[in-house]
Amino acid sequence: MCLAVPGRVVAIDDRADPLTGMIDFGGVQKRACLEYVPDVRVGEYVIVHVGFALQKLDEESARASLELFEQLGLLEEEFGDAWQQAARQAGSDAPHAPATVECGESGSEAR
């Protein structure tokens, strides 16, 4: 599942084209495109979907949403270790990852 998740902007790269920033999603940090919210500032909250910050959000709403997502296990599903998730779904305790893993972009990761 791919969620639109609220996160706090912790850094902005003004030199990047397109404009990007580092977003903190309750402890997990990912890079996201900020082109749709060019007036956002460090410390403000945004809603991010498939690597794009779509709009700003007030802190109270962002924190409430993150708490609810965490209670429902959706943050783990969205940001957790993919190998661990696959192992759990397969009924195994330990993942069997290949020796080398090439990291690529997926629809649920922020750039």
Side-chain angles (χ1 to χ4, degrees), residues 42 55 63 79 101 107:
V42 170
Q55 69 182 51
R63 288 185 183 274
F79 298 118
V101 178

Side-chain angles (χ1 to χ4, degrees), residues 2 10 14 16 23-24 30 38 41 44-45 49 52 66-67 75 77 81-83 87 94 98 101 105:
C2 210
V10 294
D14 294 318
I23 314 298
D24 183 282
K30 300 272 187 172
R41 300 289 171 247
E44 292 183 317
Y45 287 80
H49 180 63
F52 292 86
L66 283 170
E67 184 177 318
L75 289 180
E77 182 179 319
D81 182 342
W83 292 112
V101 178
E105 294 180 4

Side-chain angles (χ1 to χ4, degrees), residues 8-9 18 24 26 37 39 44 52 62 69 102 109:
R8 186 173 63 86
V9 178
D24 183 282
V37 288
D39 60 334
E44 292 183 317
F52 292 86
F69 286 3
E102 289 295 321
E109 291 181 2

Side-chain angles (χ1 to χ4, degrees), residues 17-100:
D17 186 22
L19 179 66
T20 62
M22 188 61 69
I23 314 298
D24 183 282
F25 301 97
V28 175
Q29 293 189 357
K30 300 272 187 172
R31 186 158 301 283
C33 177
L34 302 176
E35 285 292 323
Y36 295 127
V37 288
D39 60 334
V40 72
R41 300 289 171 247
V42 170
E44 292 183 317
Y45 287 80
V46 292
I47 294 178
V48 178
H49 180 63
V50 294
F52 292 86
L54 302 176
Q55 69 182 51
K56 291 198 286 186
L57 184 66
D58 65 275
E59 181 175 357
E60 183 179 341
S61 297
R63 288 185 183 274
S65 295
L66 283 170
E67 184 177 318
L68 180 60
F69 286 3
E70 186 172 354
Q71 289 172 1
L72 295 172
L74 297 174
L75 289 180
E76 176 67 25
E77 182 179 319
E78 188 72 7
F79 298 118
D81 182 342
W83 292 112
Q84 288 291 346
Q85 289 175 25
R88 278 194 303 273
Q89 289 173 353
S92 174
D93 290 335
H96 303 287
T100 359

